[in-house]
Every structure is written in structure tokens, then in C-alpha cells.
Amino acid sequence: MSLTSTERQAEMLKLEGNTAFNRQRFQAAIDMYTEAITLCPYVPEYYTNRALCFRKRNVWKRVEEDCTRAIELDHKSVKAHYMLGLALLEREEYTGGIQKLEKALDFGRVGDPEGYMVEEIWQRLAKAKYTQWEEESNKRVWRLQELKKTCEKALKQHHFLEASQTGSISEEAADAHAERMKQLDQVFEIAAESDTPTEVPDYLCCKITLDIFRDPVISPSGVTYERAMIVDHLYKVGKFDPFTREPLELDQLVPNLAIKEALQAFLNEHGWAYRT
């Protein structure tokens, strides 16, 4: 369908805005995109382009406004969800920001799984998830420490009461007290395990990068790879499975949903892994 004269004018303004943006003339670009929006207020790209300019100038409130409008026009806009997520994180709304970044990642993987934005979104999402985990972990650690102090105090008081009633501390009573204190330490060590960084299981790591999976896919030979890495291998090295050396085409790769589910469950329990 051919464009109307108004739509053509709006597109020309968008292109002029793009040129200004590439020259880092962000206010000029904002003015061009604003004129385009005035002419055609139903084009989501104009709003996301303007939001990117506001992002460069750290005007996060305007980023949030433009991205919200863009999502109303196109609920699958990767850029709008991504920048809205960043704007929410800027005002420390971690839950809302992470939700928007997760949506951006999901839509990005569907629309352009090999695109540069998928990696960029993952990096920001992982950073936000780690920050959220770190804050919650510090609170949990503090509460555990306070609870442990209270329990230790109660055990010591109980031990002192027993001693005062008998007039002395028998070797058996001392051993029993020591054992209770030891068991208390073990209980709190177990309670703190999920917040203690260890190693990520091998089955949750890519055989090429050795890093934790982000978007695992499985080849016909049954080997699971990180999508971006195996795609890069197919394009740059050759169309074969790097482990089995069998012929492999891009369309033969299938999302490994079992590993993806196991990965998400692991990350939900061990937020420190987002930093690996």
C-alpha cells in the first residue's frame, strides 16, 4: 500500500532524525521525531527512536513515556520493552524493570534470535537480576545472623540454668551443650546454602563457551549449545556439529526446553549465578 503525502513527510523526518542521531545531535533528532509523531502518531518506531535520544540524554521519565506509548501501538516491540525496563530500573523498580527486560528478551528471541539486541538485553537483565538477588541476599543473611544470635543466646541461657540448678556442670552436660551448638551451626549453614556461590552444573553450561546457558538449543546429535555460539560456528567455521562433526544446518537446531526449564529453576534458587 502506497504512503500518503503526510506519511511520506513523516518518514523523511524520521530519516533526518536518524542522521542527526548518528551525528550525536540528540536534541535535533528529538525535534525531527516529534514532528514525525505529530504527523503520524500511530507509528511506534517514531516513539522508540525518540526514546533512544532521551536515553542518551538520561531523561528517563520521557523514555518511560515514549516506550509506554510504543507498547500500546505494538505490544511486541523489543526496543520499547527493553528501554522501558531500563527506565524502571533507573528508579530502582527492579520487579517491573526485570519483567519488561524479560519480555524484550522473549520477543527478541522470537523475532531475531541472532540479533545483537538479544545479547545486550541478556546482559542488562542478568545485571538487574544479580543486583536484585544481592539486595535480597544481604537481607536474608542479616536476618539469619540475627536469628542465629538469638538461638545461641537461648541455648547458652538454657545451659547456664541447668548448671545453676545442679550447682556444677557435668562433662555430659557440657558435651550435650557443645553438640547442640554444633547442630545449630549446621542448620544455619544449610539455610545459607542458596546464597553461597558455588559452581554451575556442567549440564547447564555450553560446551563451546563453558558459560551458563542463555538460549540453549539442541542439535540432531543430541548435543546442547548456546544458540549464538553454534550459529556463529555454522556461519564462520562450517555447517557441521563441532562435537560430532556431522553435517548440521541452522534450521535443524531446536530449543532445548528441558534444559531451559532446569536453568530457570536453578537461577531462581541461585541468583548469584547471573554473574557467572
Side-chain angles (χ1 to χ4, degrees):
M1 187 174 67
S2 60
L3 298 177
T4 65
S5 60
T6 300
E7 291 170 335
R8 284 196 298 271
Q9 187 178 353
E11 279 296 298
M12 287 299 296
L13 287 165
K14 182 197 79 172
L15 294 176
E16 290 177 19
N18 292 351
T19 300
F21 178 86
N22 291 332
R23 293 175 179 174
Q24 298 189 20
R25 296 175 55 221
F26 301 127
Q27 185 56 55
I30 288 171
D31 293 340
M32 297 298 178
Y33 296 138
T34 300
E35 288 188 49
I37 289 170
T38 301
L39 292 172
C40 297
Y42 48 81
V43 180
E45 186 180 1
Y46 300 163
Y47 292 93
T48 53
N49 283 9
R50 189 170 68 174
L52 184 56
C53 295
F54 286 128
R55 177 189 170 191
K56 290 291 186 179
R57 302 186 71 181
N58 291 318
V59 186
W60 291 101
K61 181 175 175 57
R62 296 299 304 274
V63 173
E64 190 173 339
E65 291 172 355
D66 275 353
C67 289
T68 299
R69 178 57 180 150
I71 291 170
E72 290 173 356
L73 296 168
D74 176 13
H75 73 281
K76 292 185 179 181
S77 172
V78 176
K79 290 182 179 179
H81 282 291
Y82 175 46
M83 288 190 287
L84 180 54
L86 296 181
L88 292 173
L89 291 176
E90 278 295 315
R91 51 190 178 93
E92 298 185 352
E93 284 195 18
Y94 286 103
T95 300
I98 286 171
Q99 287 175 349
K100 290 301 178 183
L101 291 181
E102 287 175 334
K103 279 194 173 183
L105 188 62
D106 289 340
F107 290 139
R109 283 172 172 168
V110 172
D112 186 16
E114 290 91 50
Y116 76 94
M117 277 201 71
V118 170
E119 174 63 18
E120 183 179 331
I121 295 167
W122 165 263
Q123 292 290 349
R124 296 305 294 264
L125 176 61
K127 182 179 179 180
K129 286 268 196 178
Y130 180 83
T131 300
Q132 185 184 48
W133 168 81
E134 191 172 39
E135 288 189 359
E136 294 175 352
S137 175
N138 288 337
K139 292 177 183 177
R140 285 192 296 269
V141 168
W142 181 84
R143 287 196 295 266
L144 282 175
Q145 288 174 342
E146 291 300 305
L147 181 58
K148 185 180 180 183
K149 289 178 183 177
T150 301
C151 292
E152 287 175 339
K153 183 178 179 180
L155 286 176
K156 288 176 181 178
Q157 288 176 339
H158 177 71
H159 182 56
F160 176 78
L161 182 61
E162 283 186 331
S164 63
Q165 288 175 345
T166 59
S168 63
I169 302 175
S170 67
E171 184 177 343
E172 183 180 351
D175 290 343
H177 174 68
E179 180 62 25
R180 284 193 290 267
M181 295 295 285
K182 181 180 178 181
Q183 290 175 352
L184 183 66
D185 286 337
Q186 292 173 345
V187 167
F188 280 93
E189 282 178 9
I190 293 172
E193 279 182 357
S194 63
D195 286 323
T196 305
T198 54
E199 290 187 5
V200 178
D202 289 342
Y203 70 91
L204 295 180
C205 297
C206 175
K207 293 185 179 296
I208 298 177
T209 66
L210 303 181
D211 291 331
I212 192 168
F213 281 122
R214 303 171 187 182
D215 188 13
V217 293
I218 189 168
S219 69
S221 61
V223 181
T224 299
Y225 299 101
E226 175 59 37
R227 182 190 292 276
M229 295 301 103
I230 188 63
V231 168
D232 188 64
H233 167 85
L234 294 177
Y235 282 144
K236 296 181 179 179
V237 182
K239 294 186 176 181
F240 61 90
D241 189 309
F243 268 76
T244 66
R245 316 297 291 184
E246 296 177 2
L248 179 62
E249 296 290 336
L250 183 61
D251 60 8
Q252 291 180 290
L253 297 173
V254 178
N256 191 328
L257 300 181
I259 290 294
K260 192 172 183 180
E261 185 176 339
L263 172 65
Q264 194 56 57
F266 182 83
L267 289 172
N268 288 343
E269 289 292 323
H270 308 281
W272 51 263
Y274 278 107
R275 198 174 187 177
T276 58

